Amino acid sequence: MAAQVQRMSRLMVKTLRDDPADAETLSHKLLVRAGYVRRNAAGIWSWLPLGMRVLENVARVVREEMDAIGAQEVLLPALLPKEPYELTGRWDEYGAELFRLQDRKGADYLLGPTHEEIFTQLVKDQCTSYKDLPVILYQIQTKYRDEARPRSGILRGREFQMKDSYSFDTTDEGLAESYRLHREAYVKIFQRLGLEHRIVSAVSGAMGGSASEEFLAPAAAGEDTFVYCPSCDYAANTEAVTFELKPVSGEHGPVEELDTPDTPTIETLADHLGVPASATLKNLLVKVDGEIVAVGVPGDREVDLGKLTDHLAPAAVELVTAEDFVGRPDLVRGYVGPQGLEKVRYIADPRVAPGTAWITGANKQDKHARNVVAGRDFEVDDYLDVVVVEDGDPCPTCGTGLKLDRAIEIGHIFQLGRKYTDAFQLDVLGQNGKPVRVTMGSYGIGVSRAVAALAEQHADEQGLCWPGEVAPADVHVVAAGKALQTELALDVAEKLGAAGARVLVDDRAGVSPGVKFTDAELIGVPKILVAGRRSAEGVLELKDRRTGEREELTVEEALARLTA
Amino acid sequence: MAAQVQRMSRLMVKTLRDDPADAETLSHKLLVRAGYVRRNAAGIWSWLPLGMRVLENVARVVREEMDAIGAQEVLLPALLPKEPYELTGRWDEYGAELFRLQDRKGADYLLGPTHEEIFTQLVKDQCTSYKDLPVILYQIQTKYRDEARPRSGILRGREFQMKDSYSFDTTDEGLAESYRLHREAYVKIFQRLGLEHRIVSAVSGAMGGSASEEFLAPAAAGEDTFVYCPSCDYAANTEAVTFELKPVSGEHGPVEELDTPDTPTIETLADHLGVPASATLKNLLVKVDGEIVAVGVPGDREVDLGKLTDHLAPAAVELVTAEDFVGRPDLVRGYVGPQGLEKVRYIADPRVAPGTAWITGANKQDKHARNVVAGRDFEVDDYLDVVVVEDGDPCPTCGTGLKLDRAIEIGHIFQLGRKYTDAFQLDVLGQNGKPVRVTMGSYGIGVSRAVAALAEQHADEQGLCWPGEVAPADVHVVAAGKALQTELALDVAEKLGAAGARVLVDDRAGVSPGVKFTDAELIGVPKILVAGRRSAEGVLELKDRRTGEREELTVEEALARLTA
């Protein structure tokens, strides 16, 4: 048999008819049922022979496109000493998500979740002159994160395969170019893999840095929510959406106090006054590094604590408790208003623009105030977009109502800037003979997660349905069962293999044709070639796994068609 | 530029003129100096671009030959739950060599040193019938061992790359066949890699099992000692050498007691009596699972505690201390003899064969005895070969004096038998409808260690000197420096690359020809092609890195020669 022909009779693959009990997402169910992966512990998986082929195919495409932009492949350790992560503060920042351990001598180590520190050290050691830069380094490596809730199969594992790369440049323009190269390579990679994706603006979160975009694969199982504009090409991580601050003008009467007994919530207040919630101003009290701060948003909107935390990082944000009101007569719980809150920093959403008028707390028990105008009756210390994005919010680019969708994050590109190179004092000798601080980018693709995303996007009720470049084989030849059919199946498989096709041939004895067909649909190779009832005439049936189209072909026709 | 052409001006490689301070072995020095690897922590290394290519080449050869014997590639996790290793006892047996850690919930995990347990579980899950077997599974994976003394660079790391495979069969004959397939594949792999090696008998040690052989690469830096016979093809791990038990006949006078004041050691005794140490019998006392046992060997030989421990496993072996003699008047320290030691189990080396006569302790202070004959004056409970093998010991096959040599263990094949399948009760349904206990083999190749072994075997004073299949490139084109020379070098590099050769081209500006030549020798690509003083005529100089032979060639001749 040609090296590219795999006989099912000798392949370790056990398909299952039923979904695993703990599986919630489509990819989890199908990848387990079709024998691609097997669970070893929470968030820890084995790649079985079929799964390994898909994983290797994804890795190959990633490798080819990284090489094409001049990136150099390396392999850094996964077991890492604590010190470099302590230097940047990430040893602590990562919290419980970091797997930590000690060696036999009691020295502290971690299992690498991402390698910015180690690459910065490497480049500091290897590159000394501007002539050594730019450099882009990458690795395809096993990564570790002790997720609080590992779930969805290989979609969110605690041990997973990732391509991470890092660019090092002497100038901001150089970094922008390295970023652009990655962006284009990622587009090519996901196109070749057959992954439908969107590129969205992202906040950079704990990584620090300036520009950042995410590659999202829309899928019902996705854990990320993003927005896109149906009219223009705007798309963003929901945390990255910003509402433009536009002052409004208009006449408003003076502030008027209202009796509003027993209305400590927006709902009770709006009910009592017979106004929409959007006419009211909600003031959320939080503690920022221990200091009480008020956050104002329209009464019909929710504060996105993630956005708020990102805006205020590295300060710690927490909700207030009853104890925080002790000794603070200026803070009347349930009846707070920004007017007259001189001692408290006031952050407001851009929707609370100068000139807008609100019904809000009067800072007295059971009292609210009407005609409280931003910029007239109270000052906003900082405008920050902190509300949860909703379907129909205006597109920041064209104003059309945005749409919300769910997706899987499959890639992320960051312009980190000098956060890490400052920490490690990574300078090279510049053209003028003076040291230049290096600027850095960091870029990731979830290689094992891409397999799950592919399974989510390419499946139907019968099973998986892989795009050609990642499929575990090009053709799945099924021998219906009789000796003559098996002979024909093996013969055509051998010929296809010799002509360069990757072939899976179901030559199993004692397995009914029905089971073989069901397995073929489940396994999801793009073309299924059946040696069935017309085998004696040398005629096979070719089925397209995706469209379901069938046609009868001779061996020669099948060869011509499938090895074109 | 063709994808296979790598310009040195854009390659991250920093060569060093001096050996790293901590390096003892040749491979450690050269791989660091030539920019192949970089140390991150004790026994933890990064693979830089050049090193990555060699590592990938080794992995590719291993993969191809494993695929050729029908082995199926999988990828199991490195982070593993404790339970399966607890079931087989290896969680404890591994001692401090095992990296252990806890997850955020406090559950115990380990970093896999080898995966017998996890593969056994996998096959128990996937294979249910004799029809599903035999199966051979392999992975190329990062492994972890917390070595007490990580040293010698990548030769003995704490994180390293290994190919491990596991065979599962229903019969002993099947296991023997899976073992034979591996043995042949390993020979092909090491031949293709260009690794000189010997296959030696091995004791199976802590792994358990019946048949086992090691693949050793002779090298001065090797940590393994082995013996080989210069006359026949016998070769063995020193711990596996056995001396045949051959009873001798002959007349000996009766036991005679000798006054030997102040002679508690063999040396003082032989001196006092004026006899060779080989005429005396040395009796070492050890504790086996707490019970005192005497071990008898000729006075001129040393007991190999490793061999003894392997023979007596799983019992624990420790040396006796002064306290153990308290309350034991039968044990006279320094004057122990096997005659009259009824209460003590007596183990002897086969050299203490029945009929041999010895001078040994008389079990009285300052007294020895002469003419103490094995089998007449004392009984041996167990004959075990426990002496340290010495140069000139007789070959067990042909009797010729054995030679000792040092080597690096690069592969190991084991017939494990049913140790692990018993632990996990791995049965499949047999042909007769009854369950059959599966039998197992386990086979390893140190992929990263093979790179070090290659560097040890293929180097000279100038640097590395890679065999073709593993070299980071086929040709190293050096542009001596002038614009015309660089132009010619890039042109020929491009043509070589287009014709399928893997090319490294040193196009660095501002680097002297001398430094470039020195770097080329150090990096060790098999062919060095220099665009030097005859560049204007289109003539280059080709140097064979190994032989040092030089010849002048036109571009066309160089292309024909190097892409043949």
Side-chain angles (χ1 to χ4, degrees):
Chain A
M1 282 266 148
Q4 309 228 85
V5 177
Q6 175 67 56
R7 295 169 75 150
M8 287 276 280
S9 60
R10 296 175 193 169
L11 181 72
M12 194 182 71
V13 54
K14 191 175 100 176
T15 57
L16 304 171
R17 291 294 155 253
D18 297 316
D19 292 333
D22 59 337
E24 289 170 16
T25 60
L26 189 62
S27 58
H28 185 173
K29 290 172 188 168
L30 291 178
L31 290 170
V32 170
R33 278 185 47 206
Y36 282 71
V37 297
R38 177 176 177 270
R39 184 181 176 281
N40 288 90
I44 299 177
W45 290 81
S46 291
W47 293 83
L48 306 189
L50 283 176
M52 191 64 200
R53 290 174 184 218
V54 178
L55 186 69
E56 274 300 308
N57 288 339
V58 172
R60 178 180 44 77
V61 169
V62 170
R63 198 168 264 132
E64 286 171 2
E65 296 300 336
M66 291 307 296
D67 289 344
I69 62 167
Q72 303 177 53
E73 187 171 5
V74 295
L75 182 62
L76 270 53
L79 179 64
L80 298 169
K82 169 193 193 179
E83 290 70 23
Y85 287 80
E86 214 167 28
L87 183 70
T88 59
R90 293 212 297 177
W91 173 262
D92 293 319
E93 274 168 26
Y94 261 113
E97 206 172 290
L98 197 64
F99 279 109
R100 295 174 180 83
L101 69 160
Q102 294 192 324
D103 72 0
R104 65 197 297 154
K105 292 179 176 164
D108 286 312
Y109 285 81
L110 60 103
L111 299 182
T114 162
H115 279 61
E116 280 74 8
E117 284 84 350
I118 313 300
F119 274 88
T120 308
Q121 287 185 319
L122 173 62
V123 169
K124 185 175 166 105
D125 182 52
Q126 297 281 312
C127 301
T128 51
S129 156
Y130 71 93
K131 291 182 203 162
D132 299 332
L133 301 184
V135 66
I136 299 174
L137 301 169
Y138 79 98
Q139 58 178 352
I140 294 178
Q141 196 210 29
T142 306
K143 293 271 191 288
Y144 296 88
R145 282 184 204 161
D146 197 358
E147 298 279 352
R149 288 173 298 281
R151 57 181 181 276
S152 310
I154 53 168
L155 202 50
R156 183 171 288 273
R158 298 198 290 170
E159 170 174 318
F160 54 97
Q161 304 298 313
M162 192 167 147
K163 186 285 298 176
D164 49 330
S165 50
Y166 306 87
S167 67
F168 296 87
D169 284 272
T170 50
T171 64
D172 293 348
E173 296 70 33
L175 170 57
E177 173 64 9
S178 294
Y179 185 89
R180 188 189 64 78
L181 286 172
H182 272 90
R183 196 178 195 276
E184 289 180 9
Y186 278 31
V187 169
K188 279 189 198 153
I189 287 167
F190 295 128
Q191 276 172 352
R192 283 183 63 186
L193 295 181
L195 260 179
E196 186 206 332
H197 68 278
R198 283 179 178 274
I199 305 174
V200 306
S201 304
V203 290
S204 50
M207 305 284 286
S210 44
S212 169
E213 286 167 296
E214 286 174 5
F215 288 73
L216 299 180
E223 298 190 337
D224 278 30
T225 311
F226 73 103
V227 296
Y228 65 94
C229 174
S231 300
C232 73
D233 62 358
Y234 179 81
N237 181 314
T238 50
E239 299 197 351
V241 177
T242 49
F243 186 85
E244 201 188 344
L245 178 66
K246 278 184 286 196
V248 298
S249 54
E251 295 294 307
H252 300 285
V255 174
E256 183 186 337
E257 202 167 283
L258 306 170
D259 264 330
T260 51
D262 228 12
T263 57
T265 65
I266 294 292
E267 200 181 16
T268 50
L269 174 67
D271 262 13
H272 178 84
L273 297 176
V275 298
S278 59
T280 71
L281 178 63
K282 182 196 288 186
N283 299 290
L284 182 75
L285 297 179
V286 294
K287 278 190 295 184
V288 177
D289 276 349
E291 180 210 359
I292 290 184
V293 169
V295 181
V297 301
D300 61 338
R301 304 302 295 248
E302 294 301 322
V303 173
D304 185 327
L305 282 175
K307 276 169 105 164
L308 180 64
T309 304
D310 279 336
H311 278 305
L312 300 177
V317 175
E318 43 184 345
L319 293 174
V320 295
T321 61
E323 287 165 20
D324 296 310
F325 290 89
V326 174
R328 293 295 299 258
D330 58 329
L331 301 177
V332 184
R333 209 171 181 189
Y335 299 90
V336 170
Q339 70 289 10
L341 269 195
E342 286 83 10
K343 293 184 195 160
V344 175
R345 177 177 168 200
Y346 195 69
I347 294 170
D349 189 77
R351 291 163 184 84
V352 189
T356 54
W358 305 90
I359 297 166
T360 188
N363 301 307
K364 296 177 189 163
Q365 189 66 33
D366 295 338
K367 301 279 184 193
H368 279 85
R370 188 199 301 276
N371 291 334
V372 181
V373 178
R376 183 188 79 178
D377 304 315
F378 63 94
E379 293 299 326
V380 173
D381 296 304
D382 298 289
Y383 275 108
L384 299 175
D385 190 321
V386 294
V387 305
V388 175
V389 176
E390 290 177 7
D391 208 271
D393 271 353
C395 169
T397 304
C398 73
T400 308
L402 293 170
K403 296 279 183 194
L404 278 170
D405 205 351
R406 300 192 69 76
I408 298 163
E409 184 189 331
I410 46 174
H412 205 151
I413 53 180
F414 281 106
Q415 292 191 28
L416 284 174
R418 296 179 178 82
K419 173 176 169 171
Y420 292 89
T421 57
D422 280 344
F424 291 93
Q425 300 188 295
L426 168 54
D427 295 332
V428 292
L429 210 62
Q431 227 162 335
N432 60 4
K434 289 181 186 161
V436 183
R437 183 59 41 99
V438 173
T439 183
M440 185 176 170
S442 136
Y443 317 88
I445 287 181
V447 173
S448 44
R449 180 181 283 183
V451 176
L454 280 162
E456 289 287 338
Q457 287 189 350
H458 300 279
D460 58 24
E461 289 183 359
Q462 277 66 53
L464 297 159
C465 186
W466 299 104
E469 183 123 31
V470 297
D474 300 314
V475 193
H476 189 142
V477 181
V478 177
K482 290 180 190 142
L484 180 77
Q485 294 164 335
T486 303
E487 201 176 301
L488 178 65
L490 289 172
D491 177 60
V492 74
E494 180 67 12
K495 285 175 174 153
L496 284 164
R502 299 168 305 134
V503 186
L504 193 62
V505 52
D506 196 344
D507 60 334
R508 291 176 293 176
V511 175
S512 77
V515 167
K516 288 183 178 178
F517 297 146
T518 307
D519 279 349
E521 302 274 320
L522 180 60
I523 287 168
V525 170
K527 301 286 180 186
I528 300 169
L529 188 64
V530 182
R533 59 188 172 78
R534 291 188 63 193
S535 291
E537 305 157 62
V539 173
L540 302 119
E541 188 182 70
L542 179 66
K543 180 177 175 184
D544 185 284
R545 171 67 185 84
R546 186 176 300 271
T547 64
E549 277 170 35
R550 295 161 187 271
E551 58 185 315
E552 293 196 324
L553 298 170
T554 63
V555 172
E556 290 65 35
E557 286 167 341
L559 278 174
R561 181 74 61 84
L562 296 170
T563 60
Chain B
M1 283 269 144
Q4 309 226 83
V5 177
Q6 176 67 56
R7 296 169 74 148
M8 286 277 280
S9 61
R10 296 175 192 167
L11 181 70
M12 194 183 71
V13 56
K14 191 175 99 175
T15 56
L16 305 172
R17 290 293 156 254
D18 297 315
D19 292 332
D22 60 336
E24 288 169 20
T25 61
L26 188 64
S27 58
H28 185 173
K29 291 171 188 169
L30 291 178
L31 290 170
V32 170
R33 280 185 46 207
Y36 282 72
V37 297
R38 177 176 177 271
R39 183 180 176 279
N40 288 91
I44 298 177
W45 291 82
S46 291
W47 293 83
L48 307 187
L50 284 177
M52 192 64 200
R53 289 174 186 219
V54 179
L55 186 69
E56 275 299 310
N57 287 339
V58 172
R60 178 181 42 76
V61 169
V62 169
R63 199 168 262 131
E64 286 171 4
E65 297 300 335
M66 291 306 298
D67 289 345
I69 62 166
Q72 302 179 53
E73 188 172 4
V74 297
L75 182 62
L76 270 54
L79 180 64
L80 299 169
K82 170 192 193 178
E83 290 70 22
Y85 287 80
E86 214 168 27
L87 183 69
T88 60
R90 294 212 296 176
W91 173 263
D92 293 318
E93 275 168 27
Y94 261 113
E97 205 172 291
L98 198 65
F99 279 109
R100 297 176 178 82
L101 69 160
Q102 294 193 324
D103 72 359
R104 65 197 295 153
K105 292 179 178 166
D108 287 311
Y109 284 82
L110 60 105
L111 299 181
T114 162
H115 279 61
E116 279 75 6
E117 284 83 350
I118 313 300
F119 274 88
T120 308
Q121 286 185 318
L122 172 62
V123 169
K124 185 174 165 103
D125 182 53
Q126 296 282 313
C127 301
T128 50
S129 155
Y130 71 95
K131 290 182 205 162
D132 299 333
L133 300 186
V135 67
I136 299 175
L137 301 168
Y138 79 98
Q139 58 178 351
I140 294 179
Q141 196 212 29
T142 306
K143 293 271 191 289
Y144 296 88
R145 281 183 206 163
D146 197 355
E147 297 279 352
R149 287 172 300 281
R151 59 181 178 274
S152 309
I154 55 167
L155 202 51
R156 182 172 288 273
R158 298 199 291 171
E159 172 173 317
F160 54 97
Q161 303 297 313
M162 193 169 148
K163 185 285 296 176
D164 50 327
S165 51
Y166 306 87
S167 67
F168 296 86
D169 284 272
T170 49
T171 63
D172 294 346
E173 296 70 34
L175 170 56
E177 172 65 7
S178 295
Y179 184 89
R180 189 188 65 77
L181 286 171
H182 272 90
R183 197 179 194 275
E184 288 180 8
Y186 277 32
V187 169
K188 279 189 197 155
I189 288 166
F190 296 127
Q191 276 173 352
R192 284 182 63 185
L193 296 181
L195 260 180
E196 186 207 331
H197 68 278
R198 286 179 175 273
I199 306 175
V200 306
S201 304
V203 290
S204 49
M207 305 285 287
S210 45
S212 169
E213 285 166 297
E214 286 176 3
F215 288 72
L216 298 180
E223 297 190 338
D224 278 31
T225 311
F226 74 102
V227 296
Y228 64 96
C229 176
S231 301
C232 73
D233 63 356
Y234 178 81
N237 181 313
T238 51
E239 299 196 353
V241 177
T242 47
F243 185 87
E244 201 188 343
L245 179 66
K246 278 185 286 193
V248 297
S249 53
E251 294 296 307
H252 298 286
V255 174
E256 184 186 337
E257 204 168 282
L258 305 171
D259 262 329
T260 52
D262 229 13
T263 56
T265 66
I266 293 293
E267 200 181 14
T268 49
L269 174 65
D271 260 11
H272 178 83
L273 295 177
V275 297
S278 60
T280 70
L281 178 63
K282 184 193 287 184
N283 298 290
L284 181 77
L285 297 179
V286 295
K287 279 190 293 183
V288 177
D289 277 350
E291 181 209 358
I292 290 185
V293 170
V295 181
V297 301
D300 60 337
R301 305 301 297 247
E302 294 301 321
V303 173
D304 185 328
L305 283 174
K307 275 169 106 165
L308 181 64
T309 305
D310 279 337
H311 278 305
L312 301 177
V317 175
E318 42 184 344
L319 293 174
V320 294
T321 62
E323 288 166 19
D324 294 311
F325 290 89
V326 175
R328 292 294 299 257
D330 57 331
L331 301 176
V332 185
R333 209 170 180 188
Y335 298 90
V336 170
Q339 70 286 13
L341 269 194
E342 286 83 11
K343 292 185 195 157
V344 175
R345 177 176 168 201
Y346 195 69
I347 293 171
D349 189 76
R351 289 164 186 83
V352 189
T356 54
W358 303 90
I359 295 167
T360 189
N363 300 310
K364 295 175 188 165
Q365 188 69 31
D366 295 338
K367 301 279 184 193
H368 279 85
R370 186 200 299 278
N371 289 334
V372 180
V373 177
R376 182 189 80 177
D377 304 315
F378 65 93
E379 292 299 324
V380 173
D381 295 306
D382 297 289
Y383 274 108
L384 299 175
D385 190 320
V386 293
V387 305
V388 175
V389 176
E390 290 177 7
D391 207 271
D393 272 352
C395 169
T397 304
C398 73
T400 307
L402 293 170
K403 296 278 182 195
L404 278 169
D405 206 352
R406 300 192 70 76
I408 298 164
E409 184 189 329
I410 47 175
H412 206 151
I413 53 178
F414 281 105
Q415 290 192 30
L416 284 174
R418 298 180 177 82
K419 174 176 168 170
Y420 292 89
T421 56
D422 279 346
F424 290 93
Q425 300 188 296
L426 168 54
D427 297 331
V428 292
L429 210 62
Q431 226 162 337
N432 61 2
K434 290 181 185 160
V436 183
R437 181 61 40 97
V438 172
T439 183
M440 184 177 173
S442 139
Y443 317 87
I445 287 181
V447 173
S448 44
R449 179 179 284 183
V451 176
L454 280 161
E456 289 287 340
Q457 288 188 350
H458 300 279
D460 57 25
E461 289 183 358
Q462 277 66 52
L464 297 159
C465 186
W466 298 105
E469 183 124 31
V470 296
D474 300 315
V475 192
H476 189 142
V477 181
V478 176
K482 292 184 189 137
L484 180 78
Q485 294 164 337
T486 304
E487 204 176 297
L488 178 64
L490 289 173
D491 178 60
V492 74
E494 180 68 11
K495 284 177 176 151
L496 284 165
R502 299 168 306 134
V503 185
L504 193 62
V505 52
D506 195 344
D507 61 334
R508 290 177 294 175
V511 175
S512 77
V515 167
K516 288 184 179 177
F517 297 146
T518 307
D519 279 352
E521 301 276 320
L522 180 60
I523 288 170
V525 170
K527 301 287 180 187
I528 301 169
L529 188 64
V530 182
R533 59 187 172 79
R534 294 187 63 191
S535 290
E537 305 156 61
V539 173
L540 302 121
E541 188 183 69
L542 179 65
K543 180 176 174 185
D544 186 283
R545 171 66 186 84
R546 185 178 299 272
T547 64
E549 276 170 36
R550 294 159 187 272
E551 57 186 315
E552 295 197 322
L553 298 169
T554 63
V555 172
E556 289 64 37
E557 286 167 342
L559 278 174
R561 181 76 58 84
L562 296 169
T563 60

